[in-house]
Amino acid sequence: MTKIAITGVTGNFGRIVIEDLLTGISPGDLVAVARTPGKAADLTGRGVEVRRGDYDDPASLDTAFEGVDLLLLVSGSDLTPGVRVVQHRTVVERAAKAGVRRIVYTSAIGAESGQGSSADHAATEKMIGESGLTYTVLRNTLYSEAFVGTALAQANETGEVVSSTAGRPLNTARLRDLALAAGAVLSGSGHDNATYELRGPLWTYPELAEALAKVLRRPVTYREVTDAEAGRLGSLFPMVRAGAFSQTAPDLSRLLGRPATGLEDTVAAFIERVGA
């Protein structure tokens, strides 16, 4: 049997992946890799082997990857320039040393440009390609929850949602959909040396205000503002206006075996989860 290791199991993405795999794979074939194993102790009781693995501790990875055939490398969360590249190189090198046959990597849309925040992903994709290991690259779009959460807070405070997107669409996706797509790649076949562009259905900010109003059952209006007035997402909106997030792709729906979750359902799931 194939032994599958999943990193980042104490985070939202990795946890959803392993929970999904547990519905169809024997727990004994799964390895949960966590920097702090105690945070994943409940998985031990369910038959999953939990091993310590820290991207900054090469020796821990030697133990974590022992006997593993297939590895999900969830990209590191430290965005300090250069840090993730070093961490990812360590993971790839130790995986190859341990005999891992294939790496599935959570990259990002736009990685091919190698610019700005995509530089770490471009470098990681390159090193994986040069490692000699079989790979699958998942170029994930931005999580819809980041936008829905901000808009919900605005709606609760002022009754309106604001942005400086000029009506241009975004192709974000629900985090759960992206994690389930990763699970499909890990448990399925035919994904060797493939790169997938995982983009969700397009939506606009006026549509987001409408979805919030429908789910909350109260008026929520939309107002266009300047980048400076748009808050923490304002720095992203010039890229939105330039069309950087207006491209679609069928890969996410194909991996899910169903249409990617639409905006209203994503809003409803988010509000149910946070209890707003």
Side-chain angles (χ1 to χ4, degrees):
M1 296 295 292
T2 299
K3 180 80 76 174
I4 304 173
I6 301 93
T7 65
V9 294
T10 58
N12 291 329
F13 188 94
R15 187 65 183 216
I16 294 172
V17 173
I18 201 163
E19 292 288 350
D20 177 51
L21 291 176
L22 280 168
T23 64
I25 294 177
S26 169
D29 295 325
L30 299 175
V31 174
V33 180
R35 185 170 56 185
T36 308
K39 294 182 178 180
D42 64 297
L43 292 172
T44 302
R46 298 165 65 184
V48 177
E49 184 177 1
V50 179
R51 301 177 182 176
R52 180 177 178 272
D54 187 333
Y55 294 174
D56 294 315
D57 181 359
S60 74
L61 299 178
D62 290 338
T63 303
F65 299 156
E66 184 177 354
V68 168
D69 304 293
L70 175 56
L71 170 67
L72 174 63
L73 167 54
V74 177
S75 57
S77 59
D78 190 335
L79 302 183
T80 305
V83 170
R84 286 198 298 185
V85 174
V86 174
Q87 292 177 332
H88 295 170
R89 180 177 293 108
T90 299
V91 173
V92 173
E93 290 176 348
R94 295 293 164 153
K97 177 184 176 183
V100 172
R101 297 200 308 265
R102 179 161 69 99
I103 289 182
V104 177
Y105 172 61
T106 61
S107 185
I109 60 171
E112 69 279 3
S113 72
Q115 301 297 314
S117 60
S118 297
D120 289 350
H121 292 300
T124 302
E125 288 187 17
K126 184 174 185 293
M127 73 175 69
I128 291 174
E130 294 174 347
S131 70
L133 299 174
T134 302
Y135 63 85
T136 308
V137 172
L138 305 176
R139 288 180 176 167
N140 290 342
T141 187
L142 300 176
Y143 297 157
S144 298
E145 287 84 350
F147 300 88
V148 173
T150 298
L152 176 62
Q154 293 172 348
N156 284 338
E157 182 176 351
T158 66
E160 68 176 7
V161 172
V162 302
S163 85
S164 53
T165 54
R168 294 302 300 271
L170 296 89
N171 62 22
T172 65
R174 189 181 176 191
L175 183 152
R176 180 173 180 79
D177 278 0
L178 295 170
L180 292 179
V185 166
L186 290 166
S187 61
S189 59
H191 307 296
D192 289 1
N193 298 333
T195 297
Y196 295 118
E197 298 285 341
L198 303 184
R199 305 167 189 263
L202 295 175
W203 59 271
T204 65
Y205 259 87
E207 291 171 343
L208 176 54
E210 291 177 6
L212 283 167
K214 185 172 182 178
V215 175
L216 293 171
R217 297 183 181 180
R218 55 181 166 83
V220 177
T221 59
Y222 172 72
R223 182 165 60 95
E224 189 78 12
V225 297
T226 66
D227 292 339
E229 294 171 319
R232 68 183 186 88
L233 294 174
S235 61
L236 181 68
F237 291 153
M239 297 173 61
V240 176
R241 294 195 301 273
F245 299 97
S246 62
Q247 299 84 9
T248 60
D251 291 347
L252 180 55
S253 292
R254 286 176 179 171
L255 291 177
L256 292 172
R258 60 166 171 79
T261 306
L263 180 62
E264 186 176 323
D265 287 340
T266 298
V267 169
F270 183 88
I271 288 176
E272 180 180 3
R273 179 167 62 86
V274 301

PDB file of all heavy atoms in Angstrom, residues 155-183:
ATOM      1  N   ALA A 155     -20.070  44.766   6.641  1.00  0.00           N
ATOM      2  CA  ALA A 155     -21.532  44.757   6.620  1.00  0.00           C
ATOM      3  C   ALA A 155     -22.106  44.827   8.027  1.00  0.00           C
ATOM      4  O   ALA A 155     -23.113  45.517   8.272  1.00  0.00           O
ATOM      5  CB  ALA A 155     -22.031  43.506   5.903  1.00  0.00           C
ATOM      6  N   ASN A 156     -21.489  44.129   8.956  1.00  0.00           N
ATOM      7  CA  ASN A 156     -21.976  44.150  10.335  1.00  0.00           C
ATOM      8  C   ASN A 156     -21.772  45.507  10.986  1.00  0.00           C
ATOM      9  O   ASN A 156     -22.568  45.926  11.832  1.00  0.00           O
ATOM     10  CB  ASN A 156     -21.267  43.071  11.158  1.00  0.00           C
ATOM     11  CG  ASN A 156     -21.782  41.682  10.861  1.00  0.00           C
ATOM     12  OD1 ASN A 156     -22.905  41.518  10.376  1.00  0.00           O
ATOM     13  ND2 ASN A 156     -20.976  40.669  11.145  1.00  0.00           N
ATOM     14  N   GLU A 157     -20.704  46.199  10.602  1.00  0.00           N
ATOM     15  CA  GLU A 157     -20.385  47.483  11.234  1.00  0.00           C
ATOM     16  C   GLU A 157     -21.147  48.647  10.603  1.00  0.00           C
ATOM     17  O   GLU A 157     -21.630  49.532  11.314  1.00  0.00           O
ATOM     18  CB  GLU A 157     -18.887  47.741  11.146  1.00  0.00           C
ATOM     19  CG  GLU A 157     -18.449  49.031  11.822  1.00  0.00           C
ATOM     20  CD  GLU A 157     -16.939  49.227  11.803  1.00  0.00           C
ATOM     21  OE1 GLU A 157     -16.226  48.281  11.412  1.00  0.00           O
ATOM     22  OE2 GLU A 157     -16.480  50.319  12.190  1.00  0.00           O
ATOM     23  N   THR A 158     -21.236  48.642   9.265  1.00  0.00           N
ATOM     24  CA  THR A 158     -21.786  49.818   8.576  1.00  0.00           C
ATOM     25  C   THR A 158     -22.982  49.515   7.679  1.00  0.00           C
ATOM     26  O   THR A 158     -23.617  50.448   7.171  1.00  0.00           O
ATOM     27  CB  THR A 158     -20.701  50.479   7.707  1.00  0.00           C
ATOM     28  OG1 THR A 158     -20.339  49.579   6.638  1.00  0.00           O
ATOM     29  CG2 THR A 158     -19.466  50.803   8.529  1.00  0.00           C
ATOM     30  N   GLY A 159     -23.263  48.261   7.420  1.00  0.00           N
ATOM     31  CA  GLY A 159     -24.351  47.921   6.513  1.00  0.00           C
ATOM     32  C   GLY A 159     -23.968  48.004   5.054  1.00  0.00           C
ATOM     33  O   GLY A 159     -24.828  47.886   4.181  1.00  0.00           O
ATOM     34  N   GLU A 160     -22.676  48.185   4.794  1.00  0.00           N
ATOM     35  CA  GLU A 160     -22.223  48.248   3.414  1.00  0.00           C
ATOM     36  C   GLU A 160     -20.905  47.506   3.249  1.00  0.00           C
ATOM     37  O   GLU A 160     -20.184  47.243   4.217  1.00  0.00           O
ATOM     38  CB  GLU A 160     -22.054  49.692   2.950  1.00  0.00           C
ATOM     39  CG  GLU A 160     -20.929  50.441   3.629  1.00  0.00           C
ATOM     40  CD  GLU A 160     -20.723  51.852   3.068  1.00  0.00           C
ATOM     41  OE1 GLU A 160     -21.539  52.305   2.249  1.00  0.00           O
ATOM     42  OE2 GLU A 160     -19.733  52.493   3.461  1.00  0.00           O
ATOM     43  N   VAL A 161     -20.618  47.164   2.002  1.00  0.00           N
ATOM     44  CA  VAL A 161     -19.359  46.541   1.622  1.00  0.00           C
ATOM     45  C   VAL A 161     -18.656  47.486   0.667  1.00  0.00           C
ATOM     46  O   VAL A 161     -19.298  48.078  -0.215  1.00  0.00           O
ATOM     47  CB  VAL A 161     -19.601  45.180   0.925  1.00  0.00           C
ATOM     48  CG1 VAL A 161     -18.304  44.616   0.347  1.00  0.00           C
ATOM     49  CG2 VAL A 161     -20.215  44.187   1.901  1.00  0.00           C
ATOM     50  N   VAL A 162     -17.339  47.643   0.834  1.00  0.00           N
ATOM     51  CA  VAL A 162     -16.600  48.568  -0.030  1.00  0.00           C
ATOM     52  C   VAL A 162     -15.436  47.848  -0.690  1.00  0.00           C
ATOM     53  O   VAL A 162     -14.912  46.862  -0.180  1.00  0.00           O
ATOM     54  CB  VAL A 162     -16.072  49.787   0.755  1.00  0.00           C
ATOM     55  CG1 VAL A 162     -17.212  50.540   1.425  1.00  0.00           C
ATOM     56  CG2 VAL A 162     -15.028  49.361   1.790  1.00  0.00           C
ATOM     57  N   SER A 163     -15.052  48.355  -1.860  1.00  0.00           N
ATOM     58  CA  SER A 163     -13.835  47.897  -2.534  1.00  0.00           C
ATOM     59  C   SER A 163     -13.465  48.938  -3.571  1.00  0.00           C
ATOM     60  O   SER A 163     -14.235  49.860  -3.860  1.00  0.00           O
ATOM     61  CB  SER A 163     -14.026  46.527  -3.204  1.00  0.00           C
ATOM     62  OG  SER A 163     -14.589  46.668  -4.502  1.00  0.00           O
ATOM     63  N   SER A 164     -12.291  48.762  -4.170  1.00  0.00           N
ATOM     64  CA  SER A 164     -11.866  49.640  -5.269  1.00  0.00           C
ATOM     65  C   SER A 164     -11.580  48.770  -6.495  1.00  0.00           C
ATOM     66  O   SER A 164     -10.593  48.967  -7.197  1.00  0.00           O
ATOM     67  CB  SER A 164     -10.617  50.429  -4.865  1.00  0.00           C
ATOM     68  OG  SER A 164      -9.589  49.565  -4.405  1.00  0.00           O
ATOM     69  N   THR A 165     -12.449  47.797  -6.734  1.00  0.00           N
ATOM     70  CA  THR A 165     -12.247  46.829  -7.814  1.00  0.00           C
ATOM     71  C   THR A 165     -12.867  47.246  -9.134  1.00  0.00           C
ATOM     72  O   THR A 165     -12.679  46.569 -10.150  1.00  0.00           O
ATOM     73  CB  THR A 165     -12.824  45.457  -7.408  1.00  0.00           C
ATOM     74  OG1 THR A 165     -14.197  45.630  -7.026  1.00  0.00           O
ATOM     75  CG2 THR A 165     -12.051  44.863  -6.245  1.00  0.00           C
ATOM     76  N   ALA A 166     -13.639  48.342  -9.139  1.00  0.00           N
ATOM     77  CA  ALA A 166     -14.242  48.866 -10.373  1.00  0.00           C
ATOM     78  C   ALA A 166     -15.085  47.811 -11.098  1.00  0.00           C
ATOM     79  O   ALA A 166     -15.182  47.812 -12.324  1.00  0.00           O
ATOM     80  CB  ALA A 166     -13.175  49.412 -11.310  1.00  0.00           C
ATOM     81  N   GLY A 167     -15.670  46.918 -10.335  1.00  0.00           N
ATOM     82  CA  GLY A 167     -16.544  45.915 -10.925  1.00  0.00           C
ATOM     83  C   GLY A 167     -15.851  44.750 -11.580  1.00  0.00           C
ATOM     84  O   GLY A 167     -16.503  43.863 -12.146  1.00  0.00           O
ATOM     85  N   ARG A 168     -14.524  44.717 -11.519  1.00  0.00           N
ATOM     86  CA  ARG A 168     -13.797  43.605 -12.137  1.00  0.00           C
ATOM     87  C   ARG A 168     -13.969  42.338 -11.301  1.00  0.00           C
ATOM     88  O   ARG A 168     -14.004  42.393 -10.076  1.00  0.00           O
ATOM     89  CB  ARG A 168     -12.306  43.931 -12.272  1.00  0.00           C
ATOM     90  CG  ARG A 168     -11.982  45.057 -13.235  1.00  0.00           C
ATOM     91  CD  ARG A 168     -12.497  44.799 -14.649  1.00  0.00           C
ATOM     92  NE  ARG A 168     -11.941  43.599 -15.263  1.00  0.00           N
ATOM     93  CZ  ARG A 168     -10.808  43.580 -15.978  1.00  0.00           C
ATOM     94  NH1 ARG A 168     -10.109  44.699 -16.153  1.00  0.00           N
ATOM     95  NH2 ARG A 168     -10.388  42.450 -16.526  1.00  0.00           N
ATOM     96  N   PRO A 169     -14.010  41.177 -11.945  1.00  0.00           N
ATOM     97  CA  PRO A 169     -14.267  39.930 -11.217  1.00  0.00           C
ATOM     98  C   PRO A 169     -13.016  39.338 -10.582  1.00  0.00           C
ATOM     99  O   PRO A 169     -11.888  39.655 -10.963  1.00  0.00           O
ATOM    100  CB  PRO A 169     -14.808  39.019 -12.316  1.00  0.00           C
ATOM    101  CG  PRO A 169     -14.117  39.491 -13.563  1.00  0.00           C
ATOM    102  CD  PRO A 169     -14.000  40.989 -13.401  1.00  0.00           C
ATOM    103  N   LEU A 170     -13.257  38.444  -9.623  1.00  0.00           N
ATOM    104  CA  LEU A 170     -12.197  37.683  -8.972  1.00  0.00           C
ATOM    105  C   LEU A 170     -12.517  36.195  -9.106  1.00  0.00           C
ATOM    106  O   LEU A 170     -13.684  35.797  -9.088  1.00  0.00           O
ATOM    107  CB  LEU A 170     -12.088  38.034  -7.489  1.00  0.00           C
ATOM    108  CG  LEU A 170     -11.682  39.457  -7.126  1.00  0.00           C
ATOM    109  CD1 LEU A 170     -12.901  40.353  -7.010  1.00  0.00           C
ATOM    110  CD2 LEU A 170     -10.917  39.469  -5.797  1.00  0.00           C
ATOM    111  N   ASN A 171     -11.466  35.363  -9.180  1.00  0.00           N
ATOM    112  CA  ASN A 171     -11.668  33.922  -9.347  1.00  0.00           C
ATOM    113  C   ASN A 171     -11.258  33.142  -8.093  1.00  0.00           C
ATOM    114  O   ASN A 171     -10.684  32.070  -8.182  1.00  0.00           O
ATOM    115  CB  ASN A 171     -10.896  33.388 -10.555  1.00  0.00           C
ATOM    116  CG  ASN A 171      -9.389  33.580 -10.415  1.00  0.00           C
ATOM    117  OD1 ASN A 171      -8.878  33.726  -9.319  1.00  0.00           O
ATOM    118  ND2 ASN A 171      -8.675  33.575 -11.518  1.00  0.00           N
ATOM    119  N   THR A 172     -11.548  33.675  -6.922  1.00  0.00           N
ATOM    120  CA  THR A 172     -11.153  33.009  -5.680  1.00  0.00           C
ATOM    121  C   THR A 172     -11.921  31.698  -5.515  1.00  0.00           C
ATOM    122  O   THR A 172     -12.895  31.431  -6.214  1.00  0.00           O
ATOM    123  CB  THR A 172     -11.420  33.911  -4.472  1.00  0.00           C
ATOM    124  OG1 THR A 172     -12.838  34.121  -4.343  1.00  0.00           O
ATOM    125  CG2 THR A 172     -10.723  35.250  -4.635  1.00  0.00           C
ATOM    126  N   ALA A 173     -11.488  30.883  -4.548  1.00  0.00           N
ATOM    127  CA  ALA A 173     -12.144  29.595  -4.308  1.00  0.00           C
ATOM    128  C   ALA A 173     -12.266  29.345  -2.815  1.00  0.00           C
ATOM    129  O   ALA A 173     -11.460  29.830  -2.013  1.00  0.00           O
ATOM    130  CB  ALA A 173     -11.363  28.462  -4.965  1.00  0.00           C
ATOM    131  N   ARG A 174     -13.261  28.568  -2.464  1.00  0.00           N
ATOM    132  CA  ARG A 174     -13.434  28.175  -1.068  1.00  0.00           C
ATOM    133  C   ARG A 174     -12.254  27.304  -0.641  1.00  0.00           C
ATOM    134  O   ARG A 174     -11.828  26.402  -1.374  1.00  0.00           O
ATOM    135  CB  ARG A 174     -14.740  27.395  -0.912  1.00  0.00           C
ATOM    136  CG  ARG A 174     -15.129  27.116   0.522  1.00  0.00           C
ATOM    137  CD  ARG A 174     -16.423  26.329   0.588  1.00  0.00           C
ATOM    138  NE  ARG A 174     -16.743  25.988   1.976  1.00  0.00           N
ATOM    139  CZ  ARG A 174     -17.699  25.133   2.338  1.00  0.00           C
ATOM    140  NH1 ARG A 174     -18.430  24.547   1.403  1.00  0.00           N
ATOM    141  NH2 ARG A 174     -17.909  24.868   3.613  1.00  0.00           N
ATOM    142  N   LEU A 175     -11.710  27.573   0.533  1.00  0.00           N
ATOM    143  CA  LEU A 175     -10.563  26.806   1.039  1.00  0.00           C
ATOM    144  C   LEU A 175     -10.862  25.307   1.032  1.00  0.00           C
ATOM    145  O   LEU A 175     -10.014  24.499   0.660  1.00  0.00           O
ATOM    146  CB  LEU A 175     -10.212  27.284   2.453  1.00  0.00           C
ATOM    147  CG  LEU A 175      -8.996  26.653   3.127  1.00  0.00           C
ATOM    148  CD1 LEU A 175      -8.379  27.639   4.114  1.00  0.00           C
ATOM    149  CD2 LEU A 175      -9.328  25.361   3.850  1.00  0.00           C
ATOM    150  N   ARG A 176     -12.070  24.938   1.432  1.00  0.00           N
ATOM    151  CA  ARG A 176     -12.423  23.522   1.489  1.00  0.00           C
ATOM    152  C   ARG A 176     -12.332  22.879   0.106  1.00  0.00           C
ATOM    153  O   ARG A 176     -11.875  21.742  -0.028  1.00  0.00           O
ATOM    154  CB  ARG A 176     -13.827  23.341   2.062  1.00  0.00           C
ATOM    155  CG  ARG A 176     -14.242  21.888   2.157  1.00  0.00           C
ATOM    156  CD  ARG A 176     -15.577  21.700   2.880  1.00  0.00           C
ATOM    157  NE  ARG A 176     -15.937  20.295   2.938  1.00  0.00           N
ATOM    158  CZ  ARG A 176     -15.434  19.428   3.801  1.00  0.00           C
ATOM    159  NH1 ARG A 176     -14.553  19.842   4.701  1.00  0.00           N
ATOM    160  NH2 ARG A 176     -15.796  18.161   3.784  1.00  0.00           N
ATOM    161  N   ASP A 177     -12.759  23.583  -0.932  1.00  0.00           N
ATOM    162  CA  ASP A 177     -12.675  23.043  -2.290  1.00  0.00           C
ATOM    163  C   ASP A 177     -11.226  22.778  -2.682  1.00  0.00           C
ATOM    164  O   ASP A 177     -10.911  21.735  -3.266  1.00  0.00           O
ATOM    165  CB  ASP A 177     -13.305  24.010  -3.297  1.00  0.00           C
ATOM    166  CG  ASP A 177     -14.819  23.882  -3.362  1.00  0.00           C
ATOM    167  OD1 ASP A 177     -15.388  23.044  -2.635  1.00  0.00           O
ATOM    168  OD2 ASP A 177     -15.439  24.634  -4.146  1.00  0.00           O
ATOM    169  N   LEU A 178     -10.345  23.713  -2.375  1.00  0.00           N
ATOM    170  CA  LEU A 178      -8.935  23.550  -2.729  1.00  0.00           C
ATOM    171  C   LEU A 178      -8.317  22.384  -1.965  1.00  0.00           C
ATOM    172  O   LEU A 178      -7.515  21.621  -2.521  1.00  0.00           O
ATOM    173  CB  LEU A 178      -8.171  24.844  -2.455  1.00  0.00           C
ATOM    174  CG  LEU A 178      -8.583  26.038  -3.322  1.00  0.00           C
ATOM    175  CD1 LEU A 178      -7.935  27.322  -2.801  1.00  0.00           C
ATOM    176  CD2 LEU A 178      -8.210  25.812  -4.784  1.00  0.00           C
ATOM    177  N   ALA A 179      -8.698  22.230  -0.707  1.00  0.00           N
ATOM    178  CA  ALA A 179      -8.175  21.112   0.082  1.00  0.00           C
ATOM    179  C   ALA A 179      -8.708  19.778  -0.434  1.00  0.00           C
ATOM    180  O   ALA A 179      -7.973  18.790  -0.510  1.00  0.00           O
ATOM    181  CB  ALA A 179      -8.543  21.295   1.549  1.00  0.00           C
ATOM    182  N   LEU A 180      -9.972  19.742  -0.810  1.00  0.00           N
ATOM    183  CA  LEU A 180     -10.539  18.508  -1.351  1.00  0.00           C
ATOM    184  C   LEU A 180      -9.909  18.152  -2.692  1.00  0.00           C
ATOM    185  O   LEU A 180      -9.745  16.966  -3.018  1.00  0.00           O
ATOM    186  CB  LEU A 180     -12.058  18.644  -1.496  1.00  0.00           C
ATOM    187  CG  LEU A 180     -12.860  18.741  -0.194  1.00  0.00           C
ATOM    188  CD1 LEU A 180     -14.344  18.898  -0.496  1.00  0.00           C
ATOM    189  CD2 LEU A 180     -12.624  17.521   0.695  1.00  0.00           C
ATOM    190  N   ALA A 181      -9.555  19.152  -3.467  1.00  0.00           N
ATOM    191  CA  ALA A 181      -8.859  18.898  -4.732  1.00  0.00           C
ATOM    192  C   ALA A 181      -7.501  18.262  -4.461  1.00  0.00           C
ATOM    193  O   ALA A 181      -7.078  17.336  -5.169  1.00  0.00           O
ATOM    194  CB  ALA A 181      -8.701  20.195  -5.519  1.00  0.00           C
ATOM    195  N   ALA A 182      -6.816  18.741  -3.425  1.00  0.00           N
ATOM    196  CA  ALA A 182      -5.539  18.132  -3.052  1.00  0.00           C
ATOM    197  C   ALA A 182      -5.740  16.687  -2.628  1.00  0.00           C
ATOM    198  O   ALA A 182      -4.955  15.794  -2.992  1.00  0.00           O
ATOM    199  CB  ALA A 182      -4.893  18.924  -1.916  1.00  0.00           C
ATOM    200  N   GLY A 183      -6.803  16.428  -1.877  1.00  0.00           N
ATOM    201  CA  GLY A 183      -7.102  15.069  -1.469  1.00  0.00           C
ATOM    202  C   GLY A 183      -7.365  14.162  -2.658  1.00  0.00           C
ATOM    203  O   GLY A 183      -6.939  12.996  -2.681  1.00  0.00           O
TER     204      GLY A 183
END
